[in-house]
Amino acid sequence: MKALTRAACAAALVAVLGGCAQAVPGTSTADRQDPTTVAGLAITDGPSGPKAGVADAGLPVLNGDGGAIDKLAANAVADVQRYWDQQLPEHFGRQFKPITRLVSYDSGARGLNLCGSSTAGLVNAFYCANDDTVAWDRGELLPSLDESFGPMSVVAVLAHELGHAIQFRLGAGDAPSIVKEQQADCYAGNFFRWVAEGNAPHFQLSTGPGLNQIMSTLFFIRDNAGTSAAADGAHGDAFDRVSAFQFGFGEDPKRCAKIDVAEVRQRISQQAFSPEERDSGLGKGNLRVTDPNALQNLQDSLRIAFPGTPPPAFTQHRAACADAKPTTPAGYCPATNVVTLDPAELTKIGTPPRRGNKGGIGDFAAFAEIASRYALAAQKAAGGSLDGPVAGLRTACLTGTWASTMRGDQETPLKLSPGDLDEAVAEMLKASSLIAGDLDGQSVGSGFARVEAFRDGFASGSTICTSKYA
């Protein structure tokens, strides 16, 4: 984050919990959210990954070694092609033509010449439109994803690459890189909805932990903070990639095909660092979360975001609360209207990981956890319940609303920096999320649902928080 001079918000919404957010394309409908579902499917904790006892697809793979990774990748391609064989005619009136060539390579071995480049040292998976090839690195990329996030992460990468093939089959292959990548993430979301509904021959996916693994994979393969969305080869930050995936998971392929330059320009959060952003020892875009000036700017930004809320007092001295359990690194006591901060724990989460130092997440994650407790004060002022899963999702939504007041040209005490929203995604994909926590810090088990609620508030403002999460 970066600090600016405090100024009044340019406009105020008439809603009780109004802020300065504006709606942008790609928002969810305001239908009331069932906290036991994601995109209309029940949240499940069952197995995710290859189905037991199902024969391999047997697709021909050039240069393969016949090992487990190549079989996993070929089965993934087979299921994705099965999906598009059904969906392309239904939604676009076109027959699906299977991929011409699948190629496996080892990035640590002697390189092949694919798509005009050598695969030596190329830790990647890609679609080449020149000869309709899907290729993957069986030596490093796919094994590392499988080890870190499970086999469905490999399926996710290949579903994304097949999404590029769909673009070219629909004549949309000349779009800017960021548009093509957003569409491909969205098409991957379409496919995984089909898997979660039990339609895939080789794979199964739970909508709880299984879907969380897919979201974590998208976080892992995001662009580095500070990469411009206009850069050649830009794929999107984690917030943008997860957003596109969620559009696809919740809607049909036509929604993905509608992603264009105009929508991306309005919605995309990925940005380059501004010239004035310096590294003060925590990496560009990170403030010291216990700095008194930063904390004062945070409080000022929250007052602007929630103008109808009696501002709670902030303290670093924990005291007993008659109507709430303690939460850390921040807590809220309705009885006294006080937000309590734990400086040591805030520092842990607010210190980004650096090479040789595990670290936490970053300043925005810490500030967002504080903002979530302030959002409880806003809900109390509006007469809302502060307990239960719906309250937790509403809190995430309102925290997203607060975040939206700090973007673009709006003059506020704090401004979003590149990578800030990715920090929020990282926090909400943890086993427990305070951003999406109710008064006692309890949150729904679905990272997908948490991120969707935050994204609703960020995209549409506070009104959707009090209608969809009522």
Side-chain angles (χ1 to χ4, degrees):
M1 304 196 74
K2 52 186 176 182
L4 298 178
T5 304
R6 181 182 177 184
C9 197
L13 298 179
V14 296
V16 174
L17 299 180
C20 304
Q22 293 181 328
V24 298
T27 63
S28 303
T29 63
D31 294 338
R32 189 166 295 183
Q33 178 69 28
D34 180 349
T36 66
T37 67
V38 289
L41 298 181
I43 298 175
T44 57
D45 295 325
S48 293
K51 291 181 178 178
V54 178
D56 291 326
L59 294 180
V61 177
L62 298 179
N63 197 51
D65 66 358
I69 286 294
D70 277 348
K71 290 179 180 178
L72 173 63
N75 288 339
V77 172
D79 279 15
V80 177
Q81 293 195 136
R82 170 83 62 99
Y83 171 77
W84 285 114
D85 189 54
Q86 298 172 5
Q87 301 298 316
L88 209 62
E90 178 180 343
H91 293 287
F92 301 103
R94 302 189 185 193
Q95 295 302 309
F96 174 72
K97 175 181 173 290
I99 298 298
T100 301
R101 187 172 67 152
L102 306 179
V103 181
S104 169
Y105 66 89
D106 184 345
S107 60
R110 184 176 180 178
L112 304 176
N113 191 322
L114 292 178
C115 212
S117 300
S118 172
T119 61
L122 183 62
V123 183
N124 202 0
F126 58 91
Y127 171 71
C128 180
N130 295 344
D131 54 9
D132 197 37
T133 292
V134 168
W136 59 81
D137 170 25
R138 70 170 183 273
E140 183 174 344
L141 177 65
L142 298 196
S144 66
L145 289 173
D146 184 27
E147 181 178 351
S148 298
F149 305 107
M152 295 306 280
S153 64
V154 173
V155 182
V157 167
L158 291 165
H160 172 94
E161 298 309 329
L162 266 292
H164 288 306
I166 295 302
Q167 290 169 337
F168 280 88
R169 281 154 172 75
L170 292 175
D174 294 330
S177 175
I178 190 66
V179 174
K180 290 191 289 188
E181 299 303 334
Q182 284 280 286
Q183 284 188 348
D185 285 336
C186 187
Y187 287 138
N190 294 150
F191 166 73
F192 277 106
R193 173 61 176 248
W194 183 76
V195 178
E197 290 174 340
N199 297 309
H202 292 94
F203 298 97
Q204 56 193 335
L205 179 71
S206 73
T207 54
L211 205 49
N212 288 355
Q213 289 177 339
I214 305 300
M215 306 268 282
S216 296
T217 302
L218 293 171
F219 180 87
F220 180 76
I221 59 178
R222 72 197 187 281
D223 284 341
N224 292 328
T227 301
S228 170
D232 185 34
H235 280 61
D237 59 23
F239 186 76
D240 296 330
R241 299 200 69 167
V242 165
S243 295
F245 178 88
Q246 290 189 323
F247 296 154
F249 193 88
E251 302 180 55
D252 66 35
K254 287 184 177 178
R255 170 64 182 93
C256 305
K258 290 179 181 177
I259 296 176
D260 59 11
V261 171
E263 177 187 326
V264 166
R265 283 177 178 168
Q266 286 185 285
R267 172 175 58 78
I268 214 76
S269 67
Q270 179 162 317
Q271 58 181 316
F273 285 110
S274 61
E276 65 268 18
E277 290 187 90
R278 304 275 189 252
D279 186 346
S280 60
L282 295 173
K284 280 189 177 182
N286 278 286
L287 302 173
R288 296 191 182 277
V289 296
T290 55
D291 177 78
N293 290 330
L295 288 172
Q296 184 59 58
N297 285 332
L298 172 62
Q299 291 182 65
D300 291 344
S301 74
L302 287 163
R303 291 190 183 101
I304 291 171
F306 304 115
T309 299
F314 277 55
T315 182
Q316 297 181 13
H317 303 288
R318 188 173 298 279
C321 179
D323 53 357
K325 297 177 182 177
T327 59
T328 191
Y332 175 64
C333 182
T336 57
N337 198 33
V338 169
V339 171
T340 303
L341 308 182
D342 184 331
E345 291 301 316
L346 282 171
T347 299
K348 284 182 182 179
I349 193 171
T351 303
R354 304 291 289 268
R355 183 168 295 179
N357 178 13
K358 185 177 180 181
I361 301 177
D363 64 345
F364 186 81
F367 286 154
E369 290 194 336
I370 298 172
S372 75
R373 302 306 89 185
Y374 196 108
L376 290 167
Q379 293 173 73
K380 177 194 174 191
S385 170
L386 306 185
D387 298 305
V390 172
L393 293 175
R394 189 188 314 120
T395 298
C397 186
L398 290 169
T399 305
T401 297
W402 160 74
S404 74
T405 66
M406 299 180 289
R407 64 183 173 182
D409 296 329
Q410 295 176 164
E411 298 254 352
T412 54
L414 292 175
K415 297 286 288 183
L416 291 178
S417 288
D420 278 350
L421 297 179
D422 289 5
E423 294 175 16
V425 172
E427 196 275 355
M428 288 183 284
L429 291 179
K430 289 167 47 180
S432 179
S433 165
L434 194 62
I435 291 176
D438 70 359
L439 180 62
D440 293 334
Q442 299 299 308
S443 57
V444 297
S446 168
F448 185 105
R450 300 169 188 169
V451 173
E452 182 181 38
F454 180 94
R455 182 169 59 78
D456 280 339
F458 186 82
S460 301
S462 61
T463 301
I464 198 170
C465 305
T466 53
S467 57
K468 182 175 179 179
Y469 303 99

